[in-house]
Coordinates of all heavy atoms in Angstrom, one line a residue:
M1 N 291.9 169.1 247.5 CA 292.5 169.4 248.7 C 293.0 168.1 249.4 O 292.2 167.2 249.5 CB 291.6 170.2 249.7 CG 292.2 170.6 251.0 SD 291.3 172.0 251.6 CE 290.4 171.2 253.0
P2 N 294.2 168.0 249.7 CA 294.8 166.7 250.2 C 294.2 166.4 251.6 O 293.8 167.3 252.3 CB 296.3 167.0 250.4 CG 296.4 168.4 250.3 CD 295.3 168.9 249.6
S3 N 294.1 165.1 251.9 CA 293.6 164.7 253.2 C 294.6 165.2 254.3 O 295.8 165.2 254.2 CB 293.6 163.1 253.2 OG 293.2 162.7 254.5
E4 N 294.0 165.6 255.5 CA 294.8 166.0 256.6 C 295.2 164.7 257.3 O 294.4 163.8 257.5 CB 293.9 166.8 257.6 CG 293.6 168.2 256.9 CD 292.9 169.1 258.0 OE1 293.4 169.1 259.2 OE2 291.8 169.5 257.7
E5 N 296.5 164.7 257.7 CA 297.0 163.6 258.4 C 297.0 163.9 259.9 O 297.7 164.8 260.3 CB 298.4 163.3 257.9 CG 298.6 163.0 256.4 CD 298.9 161.6 256.1 OE1 299.3 160.9 257.0 OE2 298.7 161.3 255.0
M6 N 296.2 163.1 260.6 CA 296.1 163.4 262.0 C 296.2 162.0 262.8 O 295.7 161.0 262.3 CB 294.7 164.0 262.4 CG 294.7 165.5 261.8 SD 293.2 166.4 262.3 CE 293.4 166.5 264.0
T7 N 296.8 162.1 264.0 CA 296.8 160.9 264.8 C 295.5 160.7 265.4 O 294.6 161.6 265.5 CB 297.9 161.1 265.9 OG1 297.5 162.1 266.8 CG2 299.2 161.4 265.4
P8 N 295.3 159.5 265.9 CA 294.0 159.2 266.6 C 293.8 160.2 267.8 O 292.7 160.6 268.1 CB 294.1 157.8 267.1 CG 295.0 157.2 266.1 CD 296.0 158.2 265.7
E9 N 294.9 160.5 268.5 CA 294.8 161.4 269.6 C 294.4 162.9 269.2 O 293.6 163.6 269.9 CB 296.1 161.5 270.3 CG 296.5 160.2 271.1 CD 297.1 159.2 270.2 OE1 297.5 159.4 269.0 OE2 297.2 158.0 270.6
E10 N 294.9 163.3 268.0 CA 294.6 164.6 267.5 C 293.1 164.6 267.1 O 292.4 165.6 267.3 CB 295.5 165.0 266.3 CG 296.9 165.3 266.7 CD 297.8 165.5 265.5 OE1 297.7 164.7 264.5 OE2 298.8 166.2 265.6
I11 N 292.7 163.5 266.4 CA 291.3 163.4 266.0 C 290.3 163.5 267.2 O 289.4 164.2 267.3 CB 291.0 162.2 265.2 CG1 291.7 162.2 263.9 CG2 289.5 162.0 265.0 CD1 291.7 161.0 263.1
A12 N 290.7 162.8 268.3 CA 290.0 162.8 269.5 C 289.8 164.3 270.1 O 288.9 164.6 270.6 CB 290.5 161.8 270.5
G13 N 291.0 164.9 270.1 CA 291.1 166.3 270.7 C 290.2 167.2 269.8 O 289.5 168.1 270.4
T14 N 290.3 167.1 268.5 CA 289.4 168.0 267.6 C 288.0 167.6 267.9 O 287.1 168.5 267.9 CB 289.8 167.7 266.2 OG1 291.2 168.0 266.1 CG2 289.0 168.5 265.2
Y15 N 287.6 166.4 268.0 CA 286.2 166.0 268.3 C 285.7 166.5 269.6 O 284.7 167.1 269.7 CB 286.1 164.4 268.3 CG 284.7 164.0 268.4 CD1 283.9 163.8 267.3 CD2 284.1 163.6 269.6 CE1 282.5 163.3 267.3 CE2 282.8 163.2 269.7 CZ 282.0 163.1 268.6 OH 280.7 162.6 268.7
N16 N 286.5 166.5 270.6 CA 286.1 167.0 272.0 C 286.0 168.5 271.9 O 285.1 169.0 272.5 CB 287.2 166.6 273.0 CG 287.0 165.1 273.3 OD1 286.1 164.5 273.1 ND2 288.3 164.5 273.8
A17 N 286.9 169.2 271.2 CA 286.8 170.6 271.1 C 285.5 171.0 270.3 O 284.7 171.9 270.7 CB 287.9 171.2 270.3
A18 N 285.1 170.2 269.3 CA 283.9 170.5 268.5 C 282.7 170.2 269.4 O 281.6 170.9 269.4 CB 283.9 169.7 267.3
M19 N 282.8 169.2 270.3 CA 281.7 168.9 271.3 C 281.5 170.0 272.2 O 280.4 170.3 272.7 CB 281.9 167.5 272.0 CG 281.6 166.3 271.1 SD 279.9 166.3 270.4 CE 279.0 166.2 272.0
D20 N 282.6 170.8 272.5 CA 282.4 172.0 273.4 C 281.5 172.9 272.7 O 280.7 173.6 273.3 CB 283.8 172.6 273.7 CG 284.6 171.8 274.6 OD1 284.1 170.8 275.3 OD2 285.8 172.0 274.7
S21 N 281.7 173.1 271.4 CA 280.8 174.0 270.6 C 279.3 173.5 270.6 O 278.4 174.2 270.7 CB 281.3 174.1 269.2 OG 282.5 174.9 269.1
V22 N 279.2 172.1 270.4 CA 277.9 171.5 270.4 C 277.2 171.9 271.8 O 276.0 172.3 271.8 CB 277.9 170.0 270.3 CG1 276.6 169.4 270.6 CG2 278.4 169.7 268.9
N23 N 277.9 171.6 272.9 CA 277.4 171.8 274.2 C 277.0 173.3 274.4 O 275.9 173.7 275.0 CB 278.3 171.4 275.3 CG 278.4 169.8 275.2 OD1 277.4 169.1 274.8 ND2 279.5 169.3 275.5
L24 N 277.8 174.3 274.0 CA 277.6 175.7 274.1 C 276.4 176.0 273.3 O 275.5 176.8 273.8 CB 278.8 176.4 273.7 CG 278.7 177.9 273.8 CD1 278.4 178.4 275.3 CD2 280.0 178.6 273.3
I25 N 276.3 175.6 272.0 CA 275.1 175.9 271.3 C 273.8 175.4 271.9 O 272.8 176.2 272.1 CB 275.2 175.3 269.9 CG1 276.3 176.1 269.1 CG2 273.9 175.4 269.1 CD1 276.7 175.5 267.7
N26 N 273.9 174.2 272.3 CA 272.7 173.6 273.0 C 272.2 174.3 274.2 O 271.0 174.5 274.5 CB 272.9 172.1 273.3 CG 272.9 171.3 272.0 OD1 272.4 171.7 271.0 ND2 273.6 170.2 272.1
R27 N 273.2 174.7 275.0 CA 272.9 175.6 276.3 C 272.3 176.9 275.9 O 271.2 177.3 276.5 CB 274.2 175.9 277.0 CG 274.3 175.1 278.3 CD 275.4 175.4 279.2 NE 276.6 176.1 278.7 CZ 277.7 175.5 278.3 NH1 277.8 174.2 278.4 NH2 278.7 176.3 277.9
I28 N 272.8 177.5 274.9 CA 272.3 178.9 274.5 C 270.9 178.7 273.9 O 270.0 179.5 274.3 CB 273.3 179.7 273.6 CG1 274.5 180.0 274.4 CG2 272.6 180.8 273.0 CD1 275.7 180.5 273.6
V29 N 270.6 177.9 273.0 CA 269.4 177.8 272.3 C 268.3 177.3 273.3 O 267.1 177.6 273.0 CB 269.4 176.9 271.0 CG1 270.4 177.4 270.0 CG2 269.7 175.4 271.4
D30 N 268.7 176.7 274.4 CA 267.6 176.4 275.4 C 267.1 177.6 276.3 O 266.2 177.5 277.0 CB 268.2 175.2 276.3 CG 268.1 173.9 275.7 OD1 267.5 173.8 274.7 OD2 268.8 173.0 276.2
Q31 N 267.8 178.7 276.1 CA 267.4 179.9 276.9 C 266.1 180.4 276.4 O 265.8 180.3 275.2 CB 268.5 181.0 276.8 CG 269.9 180.6 277.5 CD 270.9 181.6 277.4 OE1 271.1 182.3 278.3 NE2 271.5 181.6 276.1
E32 N 265.4 181.2 277.2 CA 264.1 181.8 276.8 C 264.3 182.9 275.8 O 263.5 183.0 274.8 CB 263.4 182.3 278.0 CG 262.1 181.5 278.3 CD 261.5 182.1 279.5 OE1 260.8 183.2 279.3 OE2 261.5 181.4 280.6
S33 N 265.3 183.7 275.9 CA 265.6 184.8 275.0 C 267.2 184.8 274.8 O 267.9 184.4 275.7 CB 265.1 186.1 275.5 OG 265.7 186.5 276.6
L34 N 267.5 185.3 273.6 CA 268.9 185.4 273.3 C 269.3 186.8 273.1 O 268.7 187.6 272.5 CB 269.3 184.6 272.0 CG 268.9 183.2 272.0 CD1 269.4 182.5 270.7 CD2 269.5 182.4 273.2
S35 N 270.5 187.2 273.8 CA 271.0 188.6 273.6 C 271.8 188.5 272.2 O 272.0 187.5 271.6 CB 272.0 188.9 274.7 OG 273.2 188.1 274.6
E36 N 272.2 189.7 271.8 CA 273.0 189.8 270.6 C 274.4 189.0 270.8 O 274.8 188.4 269.8 CB 273.4 191.2 270.3 CG 273.9 191.5 268.9 CD 274.1 193.0 268.6 OE1 273.1 193.7 268.8 OE2 275.1 193.3 268.1
D37 N 274.9 189.1 272.0 CA 276.1 188.3 272.2 C 275.9 186.8 272.2 O 276.8 186.1 271.6 CB 276.7 188.6 273.6 CG 277.4 190.0 273.7 OD1 277.7 190.5 272.6 OD2 277.6 190.4 274.9
D38 N 274.7 186.4 272.7 CA 274.4 185.0 272.5 C 274.2 184.6 271.1 O 274.8 183.5 270.7 CB 273.0 184.6 273.2 CG 273.1 184.7 274.7 OD1 274.2 184.6 275.3 OD2 272.1 185.0 275.3
Q39 N 273.6 185.4 270.3 CA 273.5 185.1 268.8 C 274.8 185.1 268.1 O 275.1 184.2 267.3 CB 272.5 186.2 268.1 CG 271.1 186.0 268.6 CD 270.2 187.1 268.0 OE1 270.7 188.0 267.4 NE2 268.9 186.9 268.2
D40 N 275.7 186.0 268.4 CA 277.1 186.0 268.0 C 277.8 184.7 268.3 O 278.5 184.1 267.4 CB 277.9 187.3 268.4 CG 277.4 188.5 267.7 OD1 276.7 188.5 266.7 OD2 277.8 189.5 268.3
T41 N 277.6 184.3 269.5 CA 278.3 183.1 270.0 C 277.8 181.9 269.2 O 278.6 181.0 268.8 CB 278.1 183.0 271.5 OG1 278.7 184.0 272.1 CG2 278.8 181.6 272.0
V42 N 276.5 181.8 269.1 CA 275.9 180.7 268.3 C 276.4 180.7 266.9 O 276.8 179.7 266.4 CB 274.4 180.7 268.4 CG1 273.8 179.8 267.4 CG2 273.9 180.4 269.8
S43 N 276.4 181.8 266.2 CA 276.8 182.0 264.9 C 278.2 181.5 264.7 O 278.6 180.7 263.8 CB 276.7 183.4 264.4 OG 277.1 183.5 263.1
R44 N 279.2 182.0 265.6 CA 280.6 181.5 265.5 C 280.8 180.1 265.7 O 281.5 179.5 264.9 CB 281.4 182.3 266.5 CG 281.8 183.7 266.2 CD 282.8 184.3 267.1 NE 282.6 184.1 268.5 CZ 281.8 184.8 269.3 NH1 281.2 185.9 268.7 NH2 281.6 184.5 270.6
N45 N 280.0 179.5 266.6 CA 280.2 178.1 266.8 C 279.5 177.2 265.8 O 279.9 176.1 265.5 CB 279.6 177.8 268.3 CG 280.6 178.1 269.4 OD1 281.5 177.4 269.7 ND2 280.5 179.3 269.8
V46 N 278.4 177.6 265.2 CA 277.8 177.0 264.0 C 278.8 176.9 262.9 O 279.0 175.9 262.3 CB 276.5 177.7 263.6 CG1 276.1 177.2 262.2 CG2 275.3 177.3 264.7
E47 N 279.4 178.1 262.6 CA 280.4 178.1 261.5 C 281.6 177.1 261.9 O 282.1 176.5 261.0 CB 280.9 179.6 261.3 CG 279.8 180.4 260.7 CD 279.2 179.9 259.5 OE1 279.9 179.4 258.5 OE2 278.0 179.9 259.4
H48 N 282.0 177.1 263.1 CA 283.1 176.2 263.5 C 282.7 174.8 263.2 O 283.5 174.0 262.6 CB 283.5 176.4 265.0 CG 284.3 175.4 265.6 ND1 285.6 175.2 265.2 CD2 284.1 174.4 266.5 CE1 286.2 174.3 265.9 NE2 285.3 173.7 266.6
L49 N 281.5 174.3 263.6 CA 281.0 173.0 263.4 C 280.9 172.7 261.9 O 281.2 171.6 261.5 CB 279.7 172.8 264.2 CG 279.8 172.7 265.7 CD1 278.4 172.6 266.3 CD2 280.7 171.7 266.2
K50 N 280.4 173.6 261.2 CA 280.3 173.4 259.7 C 281.7 173.0 259.1 O 281.8 172.1 258.3 CB 279.7 174.6 258.9 CG 278.3 174.8 259.2 CD 277.7 176.0 258.5 CE 276.3 176.2 258.6 NZ 275.9 177.4 257.9
I51 N 282.7 173.8 259.5 CA 284.0 173.5 259.1 C 284.5 172.1 259.5 O 285.1 171.4 258.7 CB 285.1 174.6 259.6 CG1 284.8 175.9 258.9 CG2 286.5 174.2 259.4 CD1 285.4 177.2 259.6
Q52 N 284.2 171.8 260.8 CA 284.7 170.5 261.3 C 283.9 169.4 260.6 O 284.6 168.3 260.3 CB 284.4 170.4 262.8 CG 285.3 171.4 263.6 CD 286.8 171.3 263.2 OE1 287.3 170.2 263.2 NE2 287.4 172.5 263.0
V53 N 282.6 169.5 260.3 CA 281.9 168.5 259.6 C 282.5 168.2 258.2 O 282.5 167.1 257.7 CB 280.4 168.8 259.4 CG1 279.7 167.9 258.5 CG2 279.8 168.7 260.8
G54 N 283.1 169.2 257.6 CA 283.7 169.2 256.2 C 285.0 168.5 256.2 O 285.5 168.3 255.1
K55 N 285.6 168.3 257.4 CA 287.0 167.7 257.4 C 286.9 166.3 257.0 O 285.9 165.6 257.1 CB 287.6 167.8 258.8 CG 287.7 169.3 259.3 CD 288.8 170.0 258.5 CE 289.1 171.3 259.1 NZ 290.2 172.0 258.6
D56 N 288.1 165.8 256.4 CA 288.0 164.5 255.8 C 288.9 163.4 256.7 O 289.1 162.4 256.3 CB 288.6 164.4 254.4 CG 290.0 164.9 254.3 OD1 290.7 165.2 255.3 OD2 290.5 164.9 253.2
F57 N 289.2 163.9 257.9 CA 290.0 162.9 258.7 C 289.2 162.1 259.7 O 289.7 161.2 260.3 CB 291.0 163.7 259.5 CG 290.6 164.8 260.3 CD1 289.8 164.7 261.5 CD2 290.8 166.2 259.9 CE1 289.3 165.7 262.2 CE2 290.4 167.2 260.7 CZ 289.6 167.1 261.8
W58 N 287.9 162.3 259.7 CA 287.1 161.6 260.7 C 287.1 160.1 260.3 O 287.1 159.7 259.1 CB 285.6 162.1 260.6 CG 285.5 163.6 261.0 CD1 285.1 164.6 260.3 CD2 285.9 164.1 262.2 NE1 285.2 165.8 260.9 CE2 285.6 165.5 262.2 CE3 286.4 163.6 263.5 CZ2 285.8 166.4 263.3 CZ3 286.6 164.5 264.6 CH2 286.3 165.9 264.4
T59 N 286.9 159.3 261.2 CA 286.9 157.8 261.0 C 285.6 157.3 261.4 O 284.6 157.4 260.7 CB 288.2 157.1 261.7 OG1 288.1 157.4 263.1 CG2 289.4 157.5 261.2
T60 N 285.5 156.8 262.7 CA 284.2 156.2 263.1 C 283.5 157.2 264.1 O 282.5 156.8 264.7 CB 284.5 154.9 263.9 OG1 285.3 155.2 265.0 CG2 285.2 153.9 263.0
E61 N 283.9 158.4 264.2 CA 283.2 159.4 265.1 C 281.9 159.7 264.6 O 281.6 159.7 263.5 CB 284.1 160.7 265.2 CG 285.4 160.6 265.7 CD 286.4 160.0 264.7 OE1 286.2 160.0 263.6 OE2 287.5 159.5 265.2
D62 N 280.9 159.9 265.6 CA 279.5 160.2 265.3 C 279.4 161.7 265.2 O 279.6 162.4 266.2 CB 278.6 159.7 266.4 CG 277.2 160.0 266.2 OD1 276.8 160.4 265.1 OD2 276.4 159.7 267.1
L63 N 279.2 162.2 264.0 CA 279.0 163.6 263.7 C 277.6 164.1 263.9 O 277.4 165.2 263.6 CB 279.6 163.9 262.3 CG 281.2 163.6 262.1 CD1 281.6 164.0 260.7 CD2 282.0 164.1 263.2
T64 N 276.7 163.3 264.2 CA 275.3 163.6 264.4 C 275.2 164.7 265.4 O 274.4 165.7 265.1 CB 274.4 162.4 264.8 OG1 274.6 161.3 263.9 CG2 272.9 162.8 264.9
P65 N 275.8 164.8 266.6 CA 275.7 165.9 267.4 C 276.1 167.2 266.8 O 275.5 168.3 267.0 CB 276.5 165.5 268.6 CG 276.7 164.1 268.6 CD 276.7 163.7 267.2
F66 N 277.1 167.2 265.9 CA 277.5 168.4 265.2 C 276.4 168.9 264.3 O 276.1 170.1 264.4 CB 278.8 168.1 264.4 CG 280.0 167.6 265.0 CD1 280.1 167.3 266.4 CD2 281.2 167.5 264.3 CE1 281.2 166.9 267.1 CE2 282.4 167.1 264.9 CZ 282.4 166.8 266.3
N67 N 275.9 168.0 263.5 CA 274.9 168.4 262.6 C 273.6 168.9 263.3 O 273.0 169.8 262.9 CB 274.6 167.3 261.6 CG 275.7 167.1 260.6 OD1 276.2 168.0 260.0 ND2 276.1 165.8 260.5
D68 N 273.2 168.2 264.4 CA 272.1 168.5 265.2 C 272.2 169.9 265.7 O 271.3 170.8 265.8 CB 271.7 167.6 266.3 CG 271.2 166.2 265.6 OD1 270.9 166.2 264.5 OD2 271.2 165.2 266.5
A69 N 273.5 170.3 266.3 CA 273.7 171.6 266.9 C 273.7 172.7 265.8 O 273.3 173.7 266.0 CB 275.0 171.6 267.6
I70 N 274.2 172.4 264.5 CA 274.1 173.3 263.5 C 272.7 173.7 263.2 O 272.3 174.8 263.0 CB 274.9 172.8 262.2 CG1 276.4 172.7 262.5 CG2 274.6 173.6 261.0 CD1 277.2 171.8 261.4
T71 N 271.9 172.6 263.0 CA 270.5 172.9 262.8 C 269.8 173.7 263.9 O 269.1 174.7 263.6 CB 269.8 171.5 262.6 OG1 270.3 170.8 261.5 CG2 268.3 171.7 262.2
A72 N 270.1 173.3 265.1 CA 269.5 174.0 266.3 C 269.9 175.4 266.3 O 269.1 176.4 266.6 CB 269.7 173.3 267.5
G73 N 271.2 175.6 266.0 CA 271.8 177.0 266.1 C 271.3 177.9 265.0 O 270.9 179.0 265.2
E74 N 271.2 177.4 263.8 CA 270.6 178.1 262.7 C 269.2 178.5 262.9 O 268.8 179.6 262.5 CB 270.8 177.4 261.3 CG 272.3 177.3 260.9 CD 272.5 176.5 259.7 OE1 271.7 175.6 259.3 OE2 273.5 176.7 259.0
A75 N 268.5 177.7 263.6 CA 267.1 177.9 263.8 C 266.8 179.1 264.7 O 265.7 179.8 264.6 CB 266.4 176.7 264.4
V76 N 267.7 179.5 265.6 CA 267.6 180.6 266.4 C 268.3 181.9 266.0 O 268.1 183.0 266.6 CB 268.0 180.3 267.9 CG1 267.3 179.2 268.4 CG2 269.5 180.2 268.0
L77 N 269.0 181.9 264.8 CA 269.6 183.0 264.2 C 268.8 183.7 263.4 O 268.0 183.2 262.7 CB 270.9 182.6 263.6 CG 272.0 181.9 264.4 CD1 273.1 181.5 263.6 CD2 272.5 182.9 265.5
P78 N 268.9 185.1 263.4 CA 268.1 185.8 262.4 C 268.5 185.4 260.9 O 269.6 184.9 260.7 CB 268.6 187.3 262.6 CG 269.3 187.3 263.9 CD 269.8 185.9 264.1
D79 N 267.5 185.6 260.1 CA 267.7 185.2 258.6 C 268.9 185.8 258.0 O 269.5 185.3 257.0 CB 266.4 185.4 257.8 CG 265.3 184.5 258.2 OD1 265.6 183.4 258.8 OD2 264.2 184.9 258.1
D80 N 269.4 187.0 258.4 CA 270.5 187.6 257.7 C 271.9 187.1 258.1 O 272.9 187.7 257.8 CB 270.4 189.2 257.9 CG 270.6 189.6 259.4 OD1 270.2 188.8 260.3 OD2 271.0 190.7 259.7
E81 N 271.9 186.1 259.0 CA 273.2 185.6 259.4 C 273.9 184.8 258.3 O 273.3 184.1 257.6 CB 273.0 184.7 260.7 CG 272.7 185.4 261.9 CD 273.8 186.1 262.5 OE1 275.0 185.6 262.5 OE2 273.7 187.2 263.0

């Protein structure tokens, strides 16, 4: 698959959007109990972050928050997710 060509501004925008997913996952997993809607939201955002981590346009961005949120999100999801 060819490398995606993105400007630094586009990369920054994508990073910031992914950080929105990180923050949302972190907020939800910190709750005492999760509703089905919460679990669906975590699942969708974990999948979004997995896609973003796999992109090849990243340069010096720190993807650790993405990976940490994926791990935290997966830990609260039922095994059948």
Side-chain angles (χ1 to χ4, degrees):
M1 183 156 103
S3 173
E4 292 184 51
E5 303 252 345
M6 294 183 69
T7 66
E9 293 79 14
E10 290 170 327
I11 292 171
T14 300
Y15 187 86
N16 290 334
M19 283 303 297
D20 289 342
S21 288
V22 167
N23 294 328
L24 181 58
I25 290 168
N26 290 337
R27 251 191 336 268
I28 292 172
V29 301
D30 283 345
Q31 297 178 100
E32 249 179 74
S33 64
L34 303 184
S35 68
E36 191 173 314
D37 284 343
D38 291 334
Q39 290 176 352
D40 289 344
T41 299
V42 169
S43 179
R44 282 192 312 276
N45 283 275
V46 164
E47 291 307 311
H48 170 68
L49 290 176
K50 286 180 178 179
I51 291 167
Q52 295 308 314
V53 167
K55 298 290 185 175
D56 65 357
F57 53 71
W58 301 115
T59 56
T60 61
E61 296 78 19
D62 182 7
L63 303 183
T64 303
F66 298 6
N67 290 309
D68 290 348
I70 290 168
T71 301
E74 288 178 334
V76 301
L77 294 174
D79 290 334
D80 63 331
E81 286 289 318

